[in-house]
Amino acid sequence: MKTYPLYINGEFIQTKVEQEVINPATGEIIARASIASAAEIEAVLSSSRQAFDHGEWPRLSFAERKEFILKINQGILDQARELAELETLNTGKPIKETTFMDIPSSAKTFEHIAQNFEKYLSAQTIKVEDAECLLAREPMGVVVLIVPWNYPLLIASWKLASALAAGNTVILKPSSLTPLTALELAKIIDSAGLPKGAVNIINAGGDKIGSGLCSDKRVDMISFTGSNPVGRQIMGYSGQNSKKLIMELGGKSAAIILKDADLEVAVNGSLCSSFLNQGQMCTQMSRIFVQEDIYDKFIADFTAKAKRIKLGAGLDFQAQMGPLISAGQREKALAYVEKAKEQGAKLLCGGRIPQDNNLKQGFFFEPAVLADVRADMPIFQEEIFAPVVCVNKFSTSEEAVSLANKSDFGLACCIWSGDERLAQQVAAKINAGIIWINTYGMFYNQVPYGGFKQSGFGKELGKEGFLEYTRLKSVITDRSAEKKPLVNYWYAL
Ligand code: NAD
């Protein structure tokens, strides 16, 4: 059985206590991974602080840093196939997704940042009255990156590429459900030859190490992607010693399908927005609102296609949907569906554990479509993080906007319409950080991404996402003609 050590101060550390890592498609143990305890947390905090305050990484030239980041990009590309298989084994998601999305997109993020960070970091000078003001970007310092299990390598890469390029030293903590690709990335980083302590990668249950890691004064910033309850805990820990936070939290996003939409495109796009990655996406469109004129046709086509989604183990190239990440996640999905039925919602398809013998050992769940859901039901309001979607009717676009905004979350929205002007008008009224029109899930390295309201704050990606990992210093220099600004003589006159 393969074992995965931690990566601390440039060394691979095998701990005495290890955890089993499970394949959710079969329940089988696929590897063992080391677990950080208080001693390893102290080691990473001390290593990262030392590396930032006295080490090479923040002091390298841009050209040197760029070269290292491109080596990480190349390392991921060189091992793309192995990484895709590993991500699929550990998360259950279909190999097509990891091969064409997760792994190449992870590599691409390092490449994009390597090619652009120098431009993003360039200082600005502004002249104000007699002063010249230099606005300089500096790294934040020691940055803790905490990532979830739904896109383990990709979300780690978004954070790591920016944090590193900005000159920070970094502690990366993957989810203990899916630590393997991050621990493989440690080997790529080590082979790339980054200075000791520039990147530390640890694995442990967040509840065990979160407080020690996130409250420590040696940490300057925490970039967290995960659930709202854990986000709130981290805000609590970090409040003990103020630090900068990025919070990428949950969602309950809405798709609005207007009557003039291309129905075929809207149906197929909505299947993707509801069920990709088993619906375990923060930007999942878990509420679909369809204009009444096309509602019946949409429901008929959407449910017919949802029923045909082929479940299977991720390594099977024919599988379109893998298992959920854990038994607990499946229990949660089943409970929400049952409760919604009791409250009067109509289950149109799925929502059950499949009976196929091949799927019995895994955490499989048939994609569920529900109608007649009221806005006060938990299934309408709460994030489930599973292939469960509610489809509702609306009559006017104003009503659709009001329904879509009836949520504590504000992460994303899809608008499907043949009338682009109307779609843009609707987009302007939606209280969410990212809107897709006639498409779904297009993430670009150039475009900032992040939610509003309870979906969090701060951005990933784009120049703005990159600059989150910097602090801004203003250096004001006197340029008065006589070199004697009045303020210097305030008490001398
Ligand atoms: P989670 O909050 O349970 O865990 C996220 C990470 O936090 C994991 O690494 C976990 O080990 C760690 N953690 C847990 N308790 C901790 C603690 N007390 N202190 C410090 N760290 C702790 O989330 P999850 O179940 O892994 O992922 C699903 C959630 O992530 C969903 O709510 C989803 O919407 C959200 N998510 C958001 C985005 C986004 O960009 N907004 C993207 C992906 C996922």
Side-chain angles (χ1 to χ4, degrees), residues 146-151 155 158 173-178 204-211 213-214 224-231 233-234 237 247-251 280-283 325 329 332 383 385 409 411 443 449-451 455-456 460:
I146 301 180
V147 300
W149 46 257
N150 65 334
Y151 286 93
I155 295 179
W158 286 358
K173 194 205 94 57
S175 165
S176 52
L177 285 172
T178 55
D207 52 337
K208 304 284 187 311
I209 57 146
S211 166
L213 193 59
C214 300
F224 171 74
T225 299
S227 64
N228 287 61
V230 172
Q233 275 179 307
I234 291 176
Y237 306 144
M247 288 279 144
E248 302 292 349
L249 306 175
Q280 300 168 137
M281 298 173 291
C282 51
T283 53
I325 191 70
Q329 198 61 25
K332 185 176 168 189
E383 184 182 50
F385 225 54
F409 295 105
L411 190 53
F443 288 93
Y449 158 77
S455 293
E460 301 271 20

Side-chain angles (χ1 to χ4, degrees), residues 100-287:
F100 297 111
M101 294 181 194
D102 297 51
I103 308 304
S105 303
S106 302
K108 188 86 192 148
T109 296
F110 282 98
E111 192 203 348
H112 174 82
I113 290 291
Q115 303 298 2
N116 289 283
F117 78 94
E118 187 171 351
K119 180 176 68 194
Y120 292 163
L121 282 175
S122 61
Q124 262 190 61
T125 306
I126 51 174
K127 186 96 172 64
V128 186
E129 297 173 5
D130 284 339
E132 185 181 275
C133 312
L134 177 75
L135 309 184
R137 290 281 171 183
E138 298 182 343
M140 288 296 303
V142 173
V143 183
V144 168
L145 312 175
I146 301 180
V147 300
W149 46 257
N150 65 334
Y151 286 93
L153 188 66
L154 182 58
I155 295 179
S157 299
W158 286 358
K159 294 181 189 296
L160 196 55
S162 287
L164 273 180
N168 300 286
T169 57
V170 168
I171 302 168
L172 169 65
K173 194 205 94 57
S175 165
S176 52
L177 285 172
T178 55
L180 299 186
T181 45
L183 295 171
E184 276 296 333
L185 185 64
K187 297 177 196 162
I188 293 172
I189 287 170
D190 193 65
S191 304
L194 270 74
K196 280 185 196 318
V199 180
N200 287 299
I201 303 184
I202 49 163
N203 169 53
D207 52 337
K208 304 284 187 311
I209 57 146
S211 166
L213 193 59
C214 300
S215 61
D216 198 280
K217 226 183 234 174
R218 286 168 286 184
V219 172
D220 299 290
M221 171 175 176
I222 301 166
S223 173
F224 171 74
T225 299
S227 64
N228 287 61
V230 172
R232 283 194 291 272
Q233 275 179 307
I234 291 176
M235 289 186 246
Y237 306 144
S238 69
Q240 294 172 39
N241 284 297
S242 304
K243 357 187 145 289
K244 176 165 181 183
L245 299 175
I246 296 181
M247 288 279 144
E248 302 292 349
L249 306 175
K252 193 77 192 176
S253 298
I256 296 175
I257 304 176
L258 292 154
K259 64 183 175 198
D260 55 10
D262 179 327
L263 197 64
E264 187 189 312
V265 173
V267 166
N268 289 325
S270 299
L271 287 162
C272 183
S273 73
S274 311
F275 300 137
L276 191 73
N277 199 17
Q278 296 73 245
Q280 300 168 137
M281 298 173 291
C282 51
T283 53
Q284 180 200 29
M285 298 294 140
S286 47
R287 299 176 300 148

